[in-house]
Amino acid sequence: MAPTIPLLTPYKMGNFNLSHRVVLAPLTRNRSYGNVPQPHAILYYSQRATEGGLLITEATGVSDTAQGYPETPGIWTKEQVEAWKPIVNAVHEKGGLFFCQIWHVGRVSNNGFQPNGEAPISSTDKGVTTGLDGGDWSPPRRLTTDEIPALVNDFRLAARNAIDAGFDGVEIHGANGYIIDQFLKDQVNDRTDQYGGTLENRCRLALEIVEAVANEIGRDKVGIRLSIFANYLECGDSDPEALGLYMAKALNKYKILYLHVIEPRMVQVGNIFETPYSTLPMRKAFNGTFISAGGYKKDDGNKAVADGNADLIAFGRLFLANPDLPRRFELDVELNKYNRATFYIQDPVVGYTDYPFLEG
Ligand SMILES: Cc1cc2nc3c(=O)[nH]c(=O)nc-3n(C[C@H](O)[C@H](O)[C@H](O)COP(=O)(O)O)c2cc1C
């Protein structure tokens, strides 16, 4: 008998029966023209769907102020909800489970993406200076305390819309330097109200969003993604271990489905570093499903699952380039190489749905 492949063993995530542990990580693909998901996404996502496999969508805007990159999808209008439906259906037809990652970029934007050319909103009025992608970021405007409930409400409505579109659940994007991260991290958040200063205050927005979304759609359909140890888009923290542990414990109160954490080794998007940090304390503190992501290959993914360090592993670039990634792991065959140059282009086919499947 062939040895068991830990990544390909079944797992029960709340009410969902997963047949394997290879998750499609959220991947922005910039092919949703006018912020509306397009028919070509039907093929893209269904190529990656498997019976009992979990897919997470690309980051999807919660409102008309949520965008900072070209042609990213949204889920705040009726048209967008309708446009998601056939995509979700196609994934379900293949037996896949599909979560929508809901997102607001905060200060990682510019006036050109904002209604009436206004300033992007954030926890702060300090702008991003250099930017991860060499983006052209405008100076942000600090949200006033009494504007925050409306932001929380946008996430709540987006989650409702995601369920209406047929998604199985949502992943709140609390990672990678976007608005929630801009509140969590003390190197960005310079507020003096109840949303800044202490750990409790900096985590308040994230937890209010979690609570609102869980109350709206059910806690068993809610996950959150965090990149506590990263410093993307100048969004770092002076004590990430304390922040991570505080969040993992605080999330237990809401009994949500999963916590999805980016490995500390992903100090920068795309490059692996040695760091003294570990996600294990967060894994141990959190009571729900733990998804780990960041730089995984088959072997260390298997090891993380076998050692109990994670329940599921999300693969980004490997899954982008290998639509049949779980099958390739099963057969232990060569993987297609990803082409970075086509990650973010707007072509509906190239670098998107043209990565080959295994023959036969
Ligand atoms: C093209 C591309 C787009 C990405 N878009 C998102 C996104 O929309 N939301 C998100 O949380 N992370 C996003 N990420 C980060 C990935 O989900 C993942 O954490 C990262 O690529 C590291 O995992 P990997 O080594 O398996 O690729 C993106 C990464 C890439 C390469």
Side-chain angles (χ1 to χ4, degrees), residues 25-28 59 101 173 176 225 266 294-295 315-317 343-344:
L27 295 165
T28 290
Q101 190 188 51
H173 193 346
N176 296 353
R225 190 173 217 215
M266 301 308 284
F315 293 87
R317 291 161 295 175
F343 281 174
Y344 304 109

Side-chain angles (χ1 to χ4, degrees), residues 47-174:
Q47 282 180 335
R48 286 157 184 76
T50 51
E51 180 77 42
L54 174 63
L55 308 184
I56 305 167
T57 68
E58 62 211 276
T60 299
V62 299
S63 70
D64 63 354
T65 62
Q67 279 60 239
Y69 301 93
E71 317 300 358
T72 50
I75 193 147
W76 74 92
T77 71
K78 182 97 185 101
E79 184 190 9
Q80 291 161 345
V81 173
E82 290 305 313
W84 274 115
K85 284 182 181 173
I87 305 167
V88 180
N89 276 340
V91 169
H92 283 160
E93 264 165 30
K94 291 188 74 177
L97 296 163
F98 206 8
F99 273 52
C100 184
Q101 190 188 51
I102 52 175
W103 182 45
H104 193 299
V105 296
R107 67 175 185 166
V108 186
S109 185
N110 65 47
N111 306 73
F113 287 110
Q114 297 300 317
N116 310 316
E118 286 161 18
I121 57 171
S122 183
S123 60
T124 177
D125 52 18
K126 287 180 303 197
V128 185
T129 54
T130 50
L132 165 81
D133 320 311
D136 169 25
W137 320 119
S138 303
R141 177 178 75 77
R142 186 197 316 268
L143 282 172
T144 62
T145 311
D146 48 359
E147 286 177 303
I148 290 182
L151 175 62
V152 175
N153 198 46
D154 285 339
F155 276 88
R156 181 182 69 79
L157 291 173
R160 167 53 51 200
N161 286 345
I163 298 302
D164 290 348
F167 283 106
D168 299 290
V170 301
E171 173 172 294
I172 297 164
H173 193 346

